[in-house]
Amino acid sequence: MKKVGIFYGSDSGNTQTICEKIADKLGKENTELIDVAKASKDQLLGFDNLILASSTYGSGDLQTDWEDFIGSLDEADFSGKTVALVGLGDQDTYSDTFCDALYHLYDKAKGGKLIGQTSTDGYTFDDSKGVDGGKFVGLAIDEDNQDDMTDSRIDAWVSQIKSNFA
C-alpha cells in the first residue's frame, strides 16, 4: 500500500481524533497525518493517496484552516490521485447543512478517483450538500449526537477504502 496523506483541519480536536483513528486502522506506517494549517499545496499534491477531512462550521462552511487553505487548490490537478473524504457535523443542530464540508472538499478533489461513499442510513438530517446520488460522498461522522457509532462507522469505511490505496 502506498502511503496515504491524511489532511485535516480541527478546532475542537474531534476531526484530529477521527483522523488518528483512521490512521491506526490503515496502519501508522502507511499514513502521514498533516494539519492543513501547516500544509502546503505541493505537500498535499505529493501524495497519490489522500484523505481530506473537515468538520462543518456555521451554516455549512469548512473548518477555518480549510477555509484558508482550499483556495490554494483552485488550479490543483487531482488526476491520478485516489481521494477519500471525511466530514464531521451535527445533524440535530445543523440539520439543513449536515456535513456540508464534504461537498466543499469533493468540489476541489473531484478530478481524482473518489472513493469511500457511504450510506445515509442511520442519520437523521434535512439536507446536506455532501450527499450525491443518495449517498454521502465520504464518511459522515456526528460526534455530537452519535459518538457511540463512530468506531463502527470508521471500521466499516476503512475496510471499504483500504484496498483502493494500492
Side-chain angles (χ1 to χ4, degrees):
M1 180 165 106
K2 284 186 185 174
K3 194 160 225 159
V4 179
I6 303 175
F7 289 78
Y8 68 90
S10 192
D11 287 339
S12 68
N14 283 346
T15 307
Q16 180 178 351
T17 300
I18 297 302
C19 289
E20 288 168 353
K21 289 180 179 189
I22 291 168
D24 285 343
K25 298 288 179 192
L26 287 171
K28 291 209 179 219
E29 69 282 358
N30 298 320
T31 58
E32 188 173 339
L33 277 168
I34 300 144
D35 184 339
V36 78
K38 301 171 185 153
S40 71
K41 173 184 174 180
D42 290 339
Q43 185 182 26
L44 186 142
L45 293 176
F47 287 90
D48 290 331
N49 296 317
L50 292 163
I51 295 175
L52 309 179
S54 176
S55 49
T56 304
Y57 277 86
S59 298
D61 298 323
L62 279 168
Q63 183 268 348
T64 311
D65 298 321
W66 267 111
E67 280 286 332
D68 294 340
F69 182 76
I70 199 126
S72 71
L73 301 178
D74 284 348
E75 303 298 319
D77 182 6
F78 281 87
S79 60
K81 303 204 178 299
T82 300
V83 184
L85 307 173
V86 178
L88 277 74
D90 177 339
Q91 61 192 317
D92 287 353
T93 307
Y94 298 100
S95 183
D96 57 345
T97 58
F98 179 60
C99 286
D100 275 5
L102 283 169
Y103 164 79
H104 299 293
L105 298 174
Y106 171 82
D107 193 45
K108 290 298 176 195
K110 63 186 173 194
K113 176 187 173 190
L114 286 157
I115 61 169
Q117 294 79 8
T118 57
S119 173
T120 59
D121 293 349
Y123 298 88
T124 305
F125 62 95
D126 292 325
D127 196 22
S128 175
K129 289 181 182 175
V131 173
D132 185 36
K135 289 188 167 189
F136 288 111
V137 296
L139 174 63
I141 297 288
D142 184 343
E143 281 291 275
D144 296 312
N145 305 292
Q146 293 182 330
D147 59 320
D148 58 320
M149 301 176 87
T150 296
D151 288 341
S152 61
R153 285 177 172 158
I154 289 172
D155 289 348
W157 187 71
V158 168
S159 294
Q160 174 191 343
I161 67 168
K162 193 171 190 172
S163 64
N164 290 284
F165 290 137

